[in-house]
Amino acid sequence: MQMIKTAVVGASGYTGMELLRLLLMHPNAQLCCVTSRQYAGESLASVFPRFAKADGSALTFIQPEAKLIKDSGAEIAFLALPHGVAAEYATALLELGIKVIDLSADFRLNDQQVYEEFYGTPHPAPELLQQAVYGMPELQGRSEAIREAQLVASPGCYPTSIILPLVPLLEAGLIDPQSIVTCSMSGVSGAGKSSNVLFSFCEANESVRAYSVPKHRHLSEIEQELGIAAGTPVTMSFTPHLVPTHNGICTTTSALLTGDASKISEVLEKAYADKPFVRLLGENNPADTKNVTRTNFIDIGWAVDQRTGRVLLYSAEDNLGKGAASQAVQSFNLMAGLEEQAGLHNL
Amino acid sequence: MQMIKTAVVGASGYTGMELLRLLLMHPNAQLCCVTSRQYAGESLASVFPRFAKADGSALTFIQPEAKLIKDSGAEIAFLALPHGVAAEYATALLELGIKVIDLSADFRLNDQQVYEEFYGTPHPAPELLQQAVYGMPELQGRSEAIREAQLVASPGCYPTSIILPLVPLLEAGLIDPQSIVTCSMSGVSGAGKSSNVLFSFCEANESVRAYSVPKHRHLSEIEQELGIAAGTPVTMSFTPHLVPTHNGICTTTSALLTGDASKISEVLEKAYADKPFVRLLGENNPADTKNVTRTNFIDIGWAVDQRTGRVLLYSAEDNLGKGAASQAVQSFNLMAGLEEQAGLHNL
Amino acid sequence: MQMIKTAVVGASGYTGMELLRLLLMHPNAQLCCVTSRQYAGESLASVFPRFAKADGSALTFIQPEAKLIKDSGAEIAFLALPHGVAAEYATALLELGIKVIDLSADFRLNDQQVYEEFYGTPHPAPELLQQAVYGMPELQGRSEAIREAQLVASPGCYPTSIILPLVPLLEAGLIDPQSIVTCSMSGVSGAGKSSNVLFSFCEANESVRAYSVPKHRHLSEIEQELGIAAGTPVTMSFTPHLVPTHNGICTTTSALLTGDASKISEVLEKAYADKPFVRLLGENNPADTKNVTRTNFIDIGWAVDQRTGRVLLYSAEDNLGKGAASQAVQSFNLMAGLEEQAGLHNL
Amino acid sequence: MQMIKTAVVGASGYTGMELLRLLLMHPNAQLCCVTSRQYAGESLASVFPRFAKADGSALTFIQPEAKLIKDSGAEIAFLALPHGVAAEYATALLELGIKVIDLSADFRLNDQQVYEEFYGTPHPAPELLQQAVYGMPELQGRSEAIREAQLVASPGCYPTSIILPLVPLLEAGLIDPQSIVTCSMSGVSGAGKSSNVLFSFCEANESVRAYSVPKHRHLSEIEQELGIAAGTPVTMSFTPHLVPTHNGICTTTSALLTGDASKISEVLEKAYADKPFVRLLGENNPADTKNVTRTNFIDIGWAVDQRTGRVLLYSAEDNLGKGAASQAVQSFNLMAGLEEQAGLHNL
């Protein structure tokens, strides 16, 4: 059986932990290197008691140095690092011949000026932007590009839940690209493994609120991908909310219909019926986060609101799964020449 | 001290329980009658252990019969009954000279045809529709009308959270009334004290989803009140979501700006600065449900999205409080000639 | 690769769902039959949207009839049925040559009088009691017995969390068998997929309470197994509590030390160091349910309270996992001649 | 109406916030001073948005200096400070003629050596120990002592839930004082307003675990009060657990019966029937935290376990209420010559 030597760089947060969980169970991945400045020298099992007595859990965290990662034999490295930092490691690892799947925002935007507008800092490695592939395998031509890529920019959690339902409708010209209004609700793990008292149990429980208004950073990659699908620049309204669940993102998107409403189902079916991780729920059947947590699935339902001439799109995914770690493993599978679903059969 | 003899008809659900909680603590209300078919003959304290040893908790549930309610000496009765049933009791109690505050949908709509469209049944007492006052005291001229009313239709939970932020902007002509898109998130108590397995802990926890799409019944009263404010009929897009909190509604509304964005704060301040239960949070400061639970407050924040030309309105209230029971008590205070805030100082 | 044809009888509750989840991912199980009176004729995927698009999810629920189960080719059947009902199916399936793993209480007790005392009804199939093996593979000689068994009585959720920490100490004579006091806290899924309003989100959230006091049914099997270990009948105090989590059981047990406290670690290490699903956390390190949910692990910590001469034992398991479904799969692996950990590598 | 000028020193945590909530609504308390090093200069309403637009919420936090507190006119001061720090303020405020209700552990123990054993530091003001009254008004002779006290040591959250059910049984000689085993489950607010990642939503939700084993600091005051009731020193086993609720403590205590089990109800009734904040639930009726949150009630149920000769005591209180802030307000009422229930009618 083919075994790919794999590193996870920056494995101490929730996305890193989910990557470890998936890779420890992956039949074709051999976790050979995990890094963490904070935990260097400690075993995986001692940092994450959940993993104790699992195969591979005796592995020890090392310092995040490109040379050490190379020495571990890693062929593909996941970066679960803050933006800005990720780009440095990507550059160094690529030079050492290691393929990189970056889960930060550093390589998701084609345009370095948009990066600077939304992230407030010059791009740390603009020369790599053209080479990076935005790792959403369900988009047209994308899985082929990922197979060939040295550097994949794995998408953000909100973008995945917004882009996938909209793209087929934009491509088919069924909706007005300037009329999109989206509300998303994210579980608290989306804020990371944080010591901010705002995300403490007593502050987050029994609390629902919007945040990062009105211009969340993820808008940049969402509008980029929607613009590609629409064939014209897209500007949209997006409001993220924090809700008291551990994980899961529920997204509701509304857009004015410009085409034939009766074609919506057909267009979505054509786009996704054969995609292993997209589940179409049908009309008037909103998606529920509880059905997708800890999986790589995204569930999509829809409704036509005749009264307002709008289509409503309902999607649900795991912000740490299809919105982060498992989608990155999906790219890993493609880059490594494995079956797209390898190691992603979790239910 | 003035004491108003008060009845709660249909007191076994969550709204009924919240009414009882408020009235047991109210300095000017004497709870003289609580009815429940299910619990007739049992004491308040045995049905609601939370109320044991409180003054008034020795009261016994009686059958919901108008004659018995009259005999209890009740001057004002709250109806926490299903729509359709409520209208019957309202008719009988009004005839017996008891003022009625109805928390069902039966008297919220001015137009009986809209009632039939949204509730799927002929209106049970159309002759009372013109007499009923929609009990949202913060709206123009409304508190005066409530003071004089024999019959108040207390608003629904979603409507309160949507109408209050929008009305001043519509009245000032700052937004396009046909461009409104709203997402709301409600705690599970909004579904009532239900034995439906869908609302069991294991199904509702770690679950976020839209429901009742795309035409929730509350749209009828929302559009009615927005239409009055706009001076023109309004049709809008509204998506309610269920989130795992006990109570609280968080609402995010987006509308296209047609007027001067810089006037938003001024218009809202003018409308609400002197209203005791509306708290304006200012620009870019979304409302959080955790600050309003078990109170009669509604918190409102807002943002201007220059990129899309939209204003975003963020509101939070308790679905059982300002969205139901405590707003009804606010009307009670006005009808009884009490201070508007009597018994509503909860924090 | 060896594939065992497997049936799940009574697959509509939470234990049944967890069995399905494990078996759909199991490399050596071929789910050939799922039964449910309620869902007969519907597909797995339509009843459990979580399983949609998974291999095997196209399977259709059938009526729970022994003949139909036999016709499906099933070699081993799991019974996730109420006690009393389970015994009937066990009898019929065993006669048809199908091995049975019963997750009800019907075959857990050696003594039919104890069954009648605790379950309030005559035993439905006393002739099978001697043949049944109590399916806790970590106990001495038990995994060998399970390998040979036609009928395994898979243990209850509380018993597993209480028996495993205590047995080595009782066998070593380190504690007084009559001094045991246990408190357990269970997630709400322990109450089953229930429409009882007591287990609704609004009633169960922010609620912690004892229940089934002072003589919970599970005491019967706990005292049976502790008595075997102690070599003398054991009577103990056990209080179960309901806490607002989805799954997980946390158990704290206290017993008077009669032997050398310094031997506790050694005795536990000797018993469990080589058991794949028992993780010893060491002294003064209580177990946390969050580390074991959705796994077959049980975590065990302990402390010596010099002040009272007591040992404290802390254990955590998933009530649906090691406390029900995954422990049953562990027996399945042994009965089928598979590796004990097959299909149980979940993290 | 009598108005007592009141200060809250250290008002930024959860206990402080609950004190503020109660005092802002208290008909006889005039909050004249709130201190917080962190928030000095900010208004109550800006630090605690829940309190905005409430009477008194315009008050500004000041630095915690005894002189400034005196200048505010405060007659009685609540100390919601860490142990060690509290004693310093108590000394200074008492010297300035301000009565003190200390919610820390500094004055709960009669014996300074026990303090040093459990808190690991010399007592900061041993000369005040004999003067302090342990503020549990339901204990014999205690409410009279509190009325006269200059310094009240308000009890801890666990102690209240353990001491109140046990004291009448110990006084009546019904149980063996050396046989007590207690398990308590506390909501996360018991850990304070903490930025420790352990208490973040994602770590605390779906987590149940024991902690501070086997010798929690609160044991010292529990054993002191039980010893007074028993007339002999008491040593007991106590295990606290953390469960995912906001507030509430559920306690289950087991003890060997030495007297007549049939007298338990009578003894408890005699002790508590006329106490306004103790509710006796009767036999086989465990207490549920959801009925006491945000109140000053403690609910107590019990059961006799004939099999083991043990009595089980079940109690529930709000850790921030009867376990902290509202119990302190109860002492405040007594010290100020008010009705014991003043301002504590919350439901």
Side-chain angles (χ1 to χ4, degrees):
Chain A
M1 187 178 289
Q2 192 188 357
M3 294 300 284
I4 314 296
K5 291 197 162 184
T6 311
V8 177
V9 183
S12 60
Y14 290 131
T15 297
M17 185 182 171
E18 184 69 1
L19 279 169
L20 294 176
R21 188 178 81 88
L22 294 168
L23 294 170
L24 286 170
M25 295 190 289
H26 197 296
N28 307 106
Q30 182 198 335
L31 196 58
C32 65
C33 169
V34 291
T35 84
S36 163
R37 242 179 251 296
Q38 184 182 0
Y39 296 126
E42 297 183 51
S43 77
L44 226 68
S46 68
V47 173
F48 297 113
R50 169 172 284 272
F51 299 156
K53 275 206 173 178
D55 291 345
S57 69
L59 204 68
T60 299
F61 279 98
I62 63 166
Q63 288 290 347
E65 291 174 25
K67 178 72 171 51
L68 296 175
I69 296 164
K70 178 66 182 174
D71 290 348
S72 76
E75 300 162 76
I76 302 185
F78 293 87
L79 307 185
L81 296 166
H83 68 87
V85 180
E88 288 175 45
Y89 282 90
T91 306
L93 293 170
L94 287 167
E95 278 171 9
L96 293 168
I98 299 173
K99 293 183 183 183
V100 170
I101 302 168
D102 177 22
L103 286 89
S104 86
D106 276 353
F107 301 104
R108 293 179 189 158
L109 300 174
N110 303 327
D111 183 335
Q112 78 183 86
Q113 286 190 306
V114 176
Y115 182 91
E116 295 183 22
E117 177 195 344
F118 278 83
Y119 292 88
T121 171
H123 195 283
E127 67 285 0
L128 290 175
L129 282 180
Q130 292 318 311
Q131 156 179 4
V133 178
Y134 191 70
M136 199 175 279
E138 288 81 8
L139 298 184
Q140 197 130 22
R142 215 61 68 94
S143 72
E144 296 74 6
I146 296 168
R147 279 183 207 281
E148 305 303 320
Q150 299 297 308
L151 172 59
V152 164
S154 213
C157 50
Y158 289 121
T160 303
S161 76
I162 298 167
I163 293 167
L164 284 175
L166 277 168
V167 157
L169 305 191
L170 285 167
E171 288 177 345
L174 289 177
I175 55 175
D176 172 358
Q178 307 314 329
S179 71
I180 301 168
V181 177
T182 295
C183 281
S184 291
M185 291 123 252
S186 171
V188 185
S189 63
K193 192 165 186 173
S194 168
S195 61
N196 188 329
V197 73
L198 274 179
F199 306 114
S200 67
F201 183 87
C202 290
E203 298 300 314
N205 193 41
E206 286 290 305
S207 164
V208 185
R209 61 182 168 91
Y211 70 98
S212 287
V213 293
K215 193 180 168 188
H216 189 282
R217 285 172 166 179
H218 281 177
L219 265 169
S220 53
E221 58 184 287
I222 299 168
E223 292 178 350
Q224 167 182 287
E225 296 300 316
L226 298 185
I228 294 170
T232 180
V234 168
T235 309
M236 64 172 288
S237 170
F238 165 54
T239 308
H241 299 76
L242 196 71
V243 297
T245 65
H246 188 290
N247 43 359
I249 280 183
C250 174
T251 288
T252 293
T253 291
S254 150
L256 287 168
L257 278 160
T258 50
D260 181 355
S262 70
K263 294 218 170 133
I264 292 170
S265 300
E266 185 189 321
V267 162
L268 288 168
E269 286 287 347
K270 194 171 157 212
Y272 295 131
D274 67 341
K275 301 296 181 193
F277 296 115
V278 182
R279 300 190 294 203
L280 298 176
L281 305 181
E283 200 165 351
N284 295 327
N285 193 11
D288 189 327
T289 58
K290 79 178 165 209
N291 295 323
V292 294
T293 44
R294 294 177 304 280
T295 77
N296 194 43
F297 290 116
I298 178 169
D299 285 359
I300 300 174
W302 57 94
V304 176
D305 184 4
Q306 304 287 5
R307 304 167 71 257
T308 61
R310 286 182 168 267
V311 61
L312 279 301
L313 296 161
Y314 313 108
S315 61
E317 61 169 27
D318 187 336
N319 59 308
L320 299 176
K322 183 65 176 164
S326 62
Q327 181 155 253
V329 171
Q330 194 181 349
S331 282
F332 167 87
N333 289 339
L334 295 168
M335 292 166 88
L338 301 167
E339 183 213 11
E340 188 172 354
Q341 292 167 270
L344 294 173
H345 293 275
N346 314 294
L347 295 175
Chain B
M1 187 179 288
Q2 193 188 355
M3 294 300 286
I4 314 295
K5 290 196 162 184
T6 311
V8 177
V9 184
S12 59
Y14 290 131
T15 297
M17 184 182 172
E18 184 69 2
L19 279 170
L20 294 176
R21 188 178 81 87
L22 293 168
L23 294 169
L24 286 170
M25 295 190 290
H26 197 295
N28 307 106
Q30 183 197 336
L31 196 60
C32 64
C33 171
V34 290
T35 84
S36 162
R37 243 180 252 295
Q38 183 182 0
Y39 296 125
E42 297 184 50
S43 77
L44 225 68
S46 69
V47 173
F48 297 113
R50 170 173 282 272
F51 299 156
K53 276 208 172 176
D55 291 344
S57 70
L59 204 68
T60 299
F61 279 98
I62 63 167
Q63 288 290 346
E65 293 174 22
K67 178 74 171 53
L68 296 175
I69 296 164
K70 178 67 182 173
D71 291 349
S72 75
E75 301 162 76
I76 302 185
F78 293 87
L79 307 185
L81 296 165
H83 68 88
V85 180
E88 288 175 44
Y89 282 90
T91 307
L93 293 171
L94 288 167
E95 279 171 8
L96 293 168
I98 299 174
K99 293 182 182 180
V100 169
I101 301 168
D102 177 21
L103 286 89
S104 87
D106 277 353
F107 301 104
R108 293 179 190 158
L109 301 175
N110 303 326
D111 183 335
Q112 78 184 85
Q113 286 190 305
V114 176
Y115 183 91
E116 294 182 23
E117 177 194 345
F118 277 84
Y119 291 88
T121 171
H123 194 282
E127 65 285 0
L128 290 175
L129 282 180
Q130 292 317 311
Q131 159 179 0
V133 178
Y134 190 71
M136 200 175 278
E138 288 79 9
L139 298 185
Q140 198 131 22
R142 217 60 69 94
S143 72
E144 295 75 6
I146 296 168
R147 279 182 206 281
E148 305 304 320
Q150 299 297 308
L151 172 58
V152 163
S154 212
C157 51
Y158 289 121
T160 303
S161 75
I162 298 168
I163 293 168
L164 284 175
L166 278 168
V167 157
L169 305 192
L170 286 167
E171 287 177 344
L174 290 178
I175 55 174
D176 173 358
Q178 308 313 331
S179 71
I180 301 168
V181 177
T182 294
C183 281
S184 290
M185 292 122 251
S186 172
V188 185
S189 64
K193 194 165 184 173
S194 168
S195 60
N196 188 328
V197 74
L198 273 179
F199 306 114
S200 67
F201 183 86
C202 290
E203 298 298 315
N205 194 40
E206 287 289 308
S207 164
V208 184
R209 62 181 167 91
Y211 70 98
S212 287
V213 293
K215 194 182 170 189
H216 189 280
R217 285 170 165 180
H218 280 177
L219 265 170
S220 52
E221 58 183 286
I222 300 168
E223 292 178 349
Q224 168 181 286
E225 297 299 316
L226 298 185
I228 293 170
T232 181
V234 168
T235 309
M236 62 173 286
S237 169
F238 166 53
T239 308
H241 299 76
L242 196 71
V243 297
T245 65
H246 187 290
N247 44 0
I249 281 183
C250 175
T251 288
T252 293
T253 292
S254 149
L256 286 169
L257 279 160
T258 51
D260 181 354
S262 70
K263 294 217 171 135
I264 292 170
S265 299
E266 185 188 322
V267 162
L268 288 168
E269 285 286 345
K270 194 170 158 213
Y272 296 131
D274 67 342
K275 302 295 182 194
F277 296 115
V278 182
R279 299 191 294 203
L280 297 176
L281 306 182
E283 199 164 350
N284 295 327
N285 193 12
D288 189 327
T289 59
K290 80 177 165 209
N291 295 323
V292 294
T293 45
R294 295 177 305 281
T295 77
N296 194 43
F297 289 116
I298 178 169
D299 285 359
I300 301 175
W302 58 92
V304 175
D305 184 4
Q306 304 287 6
R307 303 168 70 257
T308 62
R310 288 183 167 265
V311 60
L312 280 301
L313 296 161
Y314 313 106
S315 61
E317 61 169 28
D318 187 336
N319 59 310
L320 298 176
K322 183 66 176 165
S326 62
Q327 182 155 255
V329 171
Q330 193 181 350
S331 282
F332 167 88
N333 290 339
L334 295 168
M335 292 166 88
L338 301 167
E339 182 215 10
E340 188 173 354
Q341 292 166 270
L344 293 173
H345 293 275
N346 314 295
L347 295 174
Chain C
M1 189 178 289
Q2 193 188 354
M3 294 301 284
I4 314 295
K5 289 195 163 186
T6 311
V8 177
V9 183
S12 60
Y14 290 130
T15 297
M17 185 182 171
E18 184 69 2
L19 279 169
L20 294 176
R21 188 178 80 87
L22 294 169
L23 294 169
L24 286 170
M25 294 189 291
H26 196 297
N28 307 106
Q30 181 197 337
L31 196 58
C32 65
C33 170
V34 291
T35 84
S36 162
R37 242 179 252 296
Q38 183 182 1
Y39 297 124
E42 297 184 51
S43 77
L44 225 68
S46 69
V47 173
F48 297 113
R50 170 172 283 271
F51 300 156
K53 274 206 175 178
D55 290 345
S57 70
L59 204 67
T60 300
F61 279 98
I62 62 166
Q63 288 290 346
E65 292 173 24
K67 177 73 171 54
L68 297 175
I69 297 163
K70 177 67 183 173
D71 291 349
S72 76
E75 301 162 75
I76 301 185
F78 293 87
L79 307 185
L81 297 165
H83 67 89
V85 180
E88 288 175 45
Y89 282 90
T91 306
L93 293 171
L94 287 168
E95 278 171 9
L96 293 168
I98 299 173
K99 293 182 183 182
V100 170
I101 301 168
D102 177 21
L103 286 88
S104 87
D106 278 352
F107 301 105
R108 292 178 190 159
L109 301 175
N110 303 327
D111 183 335
Q112 80 184 85
Q113 285 190 305
V114 176
Y115 183 91
E116 294 183 24
E117 177 194 344
F118 277 83
Y119 291 88
T121 171
H123 194 283
E127 68 284 0
L128 289 176
L129 282 181
Q130 292 317 311
Q131 157 178 2
V133 178
Y134 191 71
M136 199 175 280
E138 288 80 8
L139 299 185
Q140 197 130 23
R142 217 60 69 93
S143 72
E144 295 75 5
I146 296 167
R147 279 182 206 281
E148 304 305 319
Q150 299 296 309
L151 172 58
V152 164
S154 212
C157 50
Y158 289 121
T160 303
S161 75
I162 298 167
I163 293 167
L164 284 175
L166 277 168
V167 156
L169 305 192
L170 286 168
E171 288 176 345
L174 289 178
I175 55 174
D176 172 359
Q178 307 314 328
S179 71
I180 301 168
V181 177
T182 295
C183 282
S184 290
M185 292 123 251
S186 171
V188 185
S189 64
K193 194 165 183 173
S194 169
S195 61
N196 187 328
V197 74
L198 274 179
F199 306 115
S200 67
F201 182 87
C202 289
E203 298 298 316
N205 193 39
E206 286 290 307
S207 164
V208 184
R209 60 180 168 92
Y211 70 97
S212 288
V213 294
K215 194 180 167 189
H216 189 280
R217 285 171 166 179
H218 281 177
L219 265 169
S220 51
E221 59 184 284
I222 299 168
E223 291 178 349
Q224 167 182 287
E225 296 300 316
L226 298 186
I228 294 170
T232 181
V234 168
T235 309
M236 62 173 286
S237 170
F238 166 54
T239 307
H241 300 76
L242 196 72
V243 297
T245 64
H246 187 290
N247 42 1
I249 280 184
C250 174
T251 288
T252 293
T253 292
S254 147
L256 287 169
L257 279 160
T258 50
D260 181 355
S262 71
K263 294 215 170 136
I264 292 170
S265 299
E266 185 188 321
V267 162
L268 288 168
E269 285 287 346
K270 194 172 158 210
Y272 296 132
D274 68 341
K275 301 295 181 191
F277 296 115
V278 182
R279 300 191 293 203
L280 297 176
L281 306 181
E283 198 164 351
N284 295 327
N285 193 11
D288 188 327
T289 59
K290 80 177 164 208
N291 295 323
V292 294
T293 44
R294 295 178 304 281
T295 77
N296 194 43
F297 289 116
I298 178 168
D299 284 359
I300 301 176
W302 57 93
V304 175
D305 184 3
Q306 303 287 5
R307 304 169 70 257
T308 62
R310 287 183 167 268
V311 61
L312 281 301
L313 296 162
Y314 313 107
S315 61
E317 62 170 26
D318 187 337
N319 60 308
L320 299 176
K322 183 65 177 165
S326 62
Q327 181 155 254
V329 171
Q330 194 181 348
S331 282
F332 167 88
N333 289 339
L334 294 169
M335 292 166 87
L338 301 167
E339 182 214 11
E340 187 172 354
Q341 291 167 270
L344 295 173
H345 293 276
N346 313 295
L347 296 175
Chain D
M1 186 177 289
Q2 193 188 354
M3 294 301 284
I4 315 295
K5 290 197 161 182
T6 311
V8 178
V9 183
S12 60
Y14 290 130
T15 297
M17 185 183 172
E18 184 68 2
L19 280 170
L20 294 176
R21 187 177 81 87
L22 294 169
L23 295 169
L24 286 169
M25 294 191 291
H26 197 296
N28 308 106
Q30 182 197 335
L31 197 58
C32 65
C33 170
V34 291
T35 83
S36 162
R37 241 179 254 295
Q38 183 182 1
Y39 297 124
E42 297 184 51
S43 76
L44 225 67
S46 69
V47 173
F48 297 114
R50 169 172 283 272
F51 300 156
K53 274 207 175 178
D55 290 345
S57 70
L59 205 67
T60 299
F61 280 98
I62 62 167
Q63 288 290 347
E65 292 173 23
K67 178 71 170 51
L68 297 175
I69 296 164
K70 178 67 182 174
D71 291 348
S72 75
E75 301 162 76
I76 301 184
F78 293 87
L79 307 185
L81 296 165
H83 68 88
V85 181
E88 287 175 44
Y89 282 90
T91 305
L93 293 172
L94 287 168
E95 278 171 9
L96 293 168
I98 299 173
K99 293 183 183 182
V100 169
I101 301 168
D102 177 22
L103 287 89
S104 87
D106 276 353
F107 301 104
R108 293 179 188 158
L109 300 176
N110 303 327
D111 183 335
Q112 79 184 84
Q113 285 190 305
V114 176
Y115 182 91
E116 294 183 24
E117 177 194 344
F118 277 84
Y119 292 88
T121 169
H123 194 283
E127 66 285 0
L128 289 176
L129 282 180
Q130 291 317 310
Q131 159 180 1
V133 178
Y134 191 71
M136 199 176 279
E138 288 80 8
L139 298 185
Q140 197 130 24
R142 215 60 69 94
S143 72
E144 295 76 4
I146 295 168
R147 278 183 208 282
E148 305 304 320
Q150 299 298 308
L151 173 58
V152 163
S154 213
C157 50
Y158 289 121
T160 303
S161 76
I162 298 168
I163 293 168
L164 284 175
L166 277 169
V167 156
L169 305 191
L170 286 168
E171 288 177 344
L174 290 178
I175 55 174
D176 172 358
Q178 307 315 329
S179 71
I180 301 168
V181 176
T182 295
C183 281
S184 291
M185 292 123 251
S186 171
V188 186
S189 63
K193 193 165 185 173
S194 169
S195 61
N196 187 328
V197 73
L198 274 178
F199 306 114
S200 67
F201 183 87
C202 290
E203 297 299 313
N205 194 39
E206 287 289 307
S207 163
V208 185
R209 61 181 167 92
Y211 71 98
S212 288
V213 293
K215 193 180 169 190
H216 190 281
R217 285 171 167 180
H218 280 178
L219 264 170
S220 52
E221 57 182 289
I222 299 168
E223 292 178 348
Q224 167 181 287
E225 296 300 316
L226 298 185
I228 293 170
T232 181
V234 169
T235 310
M236 63 173 286
S237 169
F238 166 54
T239 307
H241 299 76
L242 196 72
V243 297
T245 65
H246 188 289
N247 43 0
I249 281 184
C250 175
T251 288
T252 293
T253 292
S254 150
L256 286 169
L257 278 161
T258 51
D260 181 355
S262 70
K263 293 216 171 132
I264 292 169
S265 299
E266 186 188 320
V267 161
L268 288 168
E269 286 287 345
K270 194 172 157 211
Y272 295 132
D274 67 341
K275 302 295 181 192
F277 297 116
V278 182
R279 299 190 295 202
L280 298 176
L281 306 180
E283 200 166 349
N284 295 327
N285 193 11
D288 189 326
T289 59
K290 80 177 166 210
N291 294 322
V292 295
T293 45
R294 294 177 304 280
T295 77
N296 194 42
F297 289 117
I298 178 168
D299 284 0
I300 301 176
W302 57 94
V304 175
D305 185 3
Q306 304 287 4
R307 303 167 72 257
T308 61
R310 288 184 167 266
V311 61
L312 280 300
L313 296 162
Y314 313 107
S315 61
E317 61 170 26
D318 187 336
N319 59 310
L320 298 176
K322 182 65 176 165
S326 62
Q327 180 154 256
V329 171
Q330 194 180 349
S331 282
F332 167 88
N333 290 341
L334 295 168
M335 292 166 86
L338 302 167
E339 181 214 11
E340 189 174 352
Q341 292 166 270
L344 294 172
H345 292 275
N346 314 294
L347 295 173

